[in-house]
């Protein structure tokens, strides 16, 4: 069963893995003082046009949000997030452990080189756009306008249930009676064959 649940369900792109393999056996300074981290830092500064920027790297979204929130908010302040937001559904424990409550509200809108980063970004968005076109052609709407590799499509409950029997998908919410919002994420590992198969399966389930 192919998974469209998220875009981080495989270890890494083969080109990233190759770079890591090439570095096996080499020794580096820690705490972001190695030459590769410095190169990435300078590349990002050039990209954003801010040579005075102070950059720090984290290895995941949860620790990034936790660090930023615990630093920015005052002790009595809370986080306000849509009830379908990642910070409210997957990171609440980590955030609230710092003493900041996550308050939910309902809402309907609820890499080693820069070249690879943008190459993969274009690739995943292209694959997602093919799925967006499919849903639009069939007359289905979205919880929020598709803008990236994440798609929040609204489908009849029965169709959503059938689709989830064939693919690993995440049900976000039920925006109205009789319909469900499913999140589909394409990734660097999503092949054209995966997309074509999904389109065929989807049409067969209609």
């Amino acid at each position: 069963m192919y998974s469209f649940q998220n875009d981080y369900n495989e270890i890494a792109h083969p080109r990233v893995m190759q770079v890591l393999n090439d570095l096996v056996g080499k020794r580096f300074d820690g705490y972001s003082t190695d030459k590769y981290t410095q190169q990435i830092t300078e590349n990002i500064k050039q990209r954003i046009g801010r040579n005075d920027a102070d950059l720090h790297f984290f290895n995941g979204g949860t620790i990034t949000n936790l660090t930023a929130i615990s630093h920015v908010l005052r002790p009595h302040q809370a986080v306000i997030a849509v009830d379908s937001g990642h910070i409210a559904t997957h990171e609440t424990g980590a955030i609230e452990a710092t003493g900041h409550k996550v308050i939910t509200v309902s809402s309907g809108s609820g890499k080693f080189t820069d070249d690879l980063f943008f190459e993969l970004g274009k690739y995943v968005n292209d694959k997602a756009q093919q799925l967006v076109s499919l849903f639009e052609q069939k007359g289905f709407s979205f919880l929020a306008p598709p803008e990236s590799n994440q798609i929040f499509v609204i489908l009849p409950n029965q169709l959503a249930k059938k689709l989830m029997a064939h693919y690993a998908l995440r049900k976000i919410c039920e925006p109205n009676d009789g319909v469900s919002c499913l999140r589909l994420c394409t990734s660097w590992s999503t092949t054209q064959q995966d997309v074509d198969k999904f389109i065929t399966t989807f049409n067969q389930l209609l």
Side-chain angles (χ1 to χ4, degrees), residues 6-108:
N6 55 56
D7 53 7
Y8 47 85
N9 52 38
E10 292 202 25
I11 296 176
H13 189 277
R15 282 161 62 182
V16 174
M17 292 299 297
Q18 183 60 56
V19 172
L20 291 176
N21 287 331
D22 291 343
L23 297 177
V24 171
K26 296 183 180 181
R27 300 291 182 267
F28 304 96
D29 295 330
Y31 308 102
S32 299
T33 60
D34 62 279
K35 66 177 183 178
Y36 293 104
T37 301
Q38 295 303 312
Q39 288 176 5
I40 294 173
T41 298
E42 292 305 314
N43 287 341
I44 294 176
K45 287 181 179 181
Q46 292 177 14
R47 289 280 185 179
I48 65 177
R50 291 293 302 271
N51 291 325
D52 60 338
D54 190 12
L55 304 178
H56 302 274
F57 298 93
F58 293 88
N59 63 355
T62 300
I63 188 62
T64 301
N65 285 335
L66 184 151
T67 302
I69 288 171
S70 60
H71 175 72
V72 174
L73 296 185
R74 300 183 65 183
H76 64 279
Q77 293 179 323
V79 177
I80 300 177
V82 293
D83 48 19
S84 61
H86 191 76
I87 200 171
T89 57
H90 291 96
E91 299 177 352
T92 308
I95 303 304
E96 295 193 346
T98 66
H100 299 287
K101 179 68 178 176
V102 176
I103 301 174
T104 59
V105 295
S106 297
S107 173

